Amino acid sequence: MSNAKDRNSSLNLRTRGDAGPGQVVLVLQGGGALGSYQAGVYQALHEAGIEPDWIIGTSIGAINASLIAGNSPQHRLSRLREFWKRMEQSPVWSFRDVFPGFNDKLSYWSTVTSGIPGFFRPNPLAHAGDSYPLGADKAGYYSTAPLERTLAELVDFDLVNNCSLRLTVGAAHVRTSQMRYFDSRDIRLGVRHIMASGALPPAFPAVRIDGEFYWDGGILSNTPTEAVFDDNPRRDSLIFAVHLWNPHGAEPTTMAEVLNRHKDVQYSSRILSHVARQQQAHRLRHVINELVARLPEAERNSEAVRELASYGCPTRMHVVRLLAPQLDHETHTKDIDFSPSGIMKRWDAGYTHTKAVLQRAPWIGEFDPLSGVILHEQMATMPQAAE
């Protein structure tokens, strides 16, 4: 794609219609191996000349977010490719032609027993007994020291903290069960903040930051769109919210389907109800603005009315919800499917889906002036790929 076309795509995103959509925010949900879909989403945005102003992530979403924020725009895509190449779990022996799908099972068992060289490795002492004193920073079935080295190689944290692109990652405070968002606008971020956001128990141990331990933010809120809604000050925003777990699904009839559906329900994080509540709250803020505008000027300038008017807000947020499709014969082990074919299919799905959404640009048009949060549901279908 030519540079001129890239510039035009970005210009259209920001200025078509009566007003531009404001800051571009990329929100990345947690989901392990499913996160390769997010890399495809970013590739489509990047090729269209659209770079986020703010990126928010939890778990694998925080890792992808750091790879984007911690590299200059011309290197972001290559760093994502390098990371996901390192994540591939290829079996030593190949039975692809003899037993279709068997390679993926070998990849799964290889991941469980041996880990992934650039991500995590087994912690043998974790099997010494439930009461064995491992210590808080080693209490997990795997060590994530390999991930720390990988991120140190692929992410420039000096660039992250220059804040040319704002980065926010979510983690769960172990001692208080409170969600904590570490934000490059407010503090200096480092590799341990990203590690904390992805420290999913009991697989991975908690990560200590400033004397406190943190686990994967996904155990409290796996869809960190709330960070945009709660930001101060609020700004007009075009939010690409990339979701990896499907909140809708068929009734399970087998134990395998129960396990699969359970993960989707658990990690989809009630995003639709969150957005619905924000739509109500923002509508009320817009109603307050309308009511204040109808008052005589003398009353509008009174101290009491000014205080009441402060509860209003003119901002508008378009939430473009990109929902990853399911692979054929997907199981509850999908989040550790680091097979080359699984990574490739999900990456391609994210890329194809986002390109189609950018063509439609659903955030452009006429909308209810009282609507402060507008949700655009964008479902995807899985493209066919050769085995």
Side-chain angles (χ1 to χ4, degrees), residues 340-359:
S341 63
I343 289 174
M344 178 192 68
K345 288 177 182 177
R346 291 189 171 94
W347 185 306
D348 289 347
Y351 176 71
T352 302
H353 184 197
T354 306
K355 283 187 66 176
V357 171
L358 293 177
Q359 286 291 325

Side-chain angles (χ1 to χ4, degrees), residues 15-53:
T15 62
R16 283 178 60 187
D18 294 336
Q23 65 178 347
V24 176
V25 186
L26 184 58
V27 177
L28 303 178
Q29 195 178 63
L34 306 180
S36 57
Y37 175 86
Q38 299 170 343
V41 169
Y42 175 76
Q43 180 185 356
L45 292 172
H46 177 77
E47 290 182 359
I50 301 166
E51 297 294 342
D53 301 298

Side-chain angles (χ1 to χ4, degrees), residues 12 38 80 153 159 161 239-240 291 298 336 348 368 383:
N12 289 340
Q38 299 170 343
L80 283 168
E153 292 175 15
L159 187 59
N161 291 294
I239 304 164
F240 292 97
L291 290 174
I336 56 170
D348 289 347
D368 182 351

Side-chain angles (χ1 to χ4, degrees), residues 26-99:
L26 184 58
V27 177
L28 303 178
Q29 195 178 63
L34 306 180
S36 57
Y37 175 86
Q38 299 170 343
V41 169
Y42 175 76
Q43 180 185 356
L45 292 172
H46 177 77
E47 290 182 359
I50 301 166
E51 297 294 342
D53 301 298
W54 183 13
I55 185 166
I56 308 166
T58 298
S59 197
I60 193 65
I63 292 172
N64 280 330
S66 72
L67 291 161
I68 296 169
N71 286 284
S72 56
Q74 65 269 30
H75 295 134
R76 289 170 180 169
L77 191 54
S78 63
R79 290 299 196 188
L80 283 168
R81 290 192 186 281
E82 173 65 19
F83 174 82
W84 283 99
K85 186 66 178 177
R86 295 189 190 190
M87 296 303 104
E88 288 183 1
Q89 183 62 276
S90 299
V92 176
W93 302 284
S94 177
F95 298 90
R96 186 178 303 281
D97 297 330
V98 182
F99 303 110

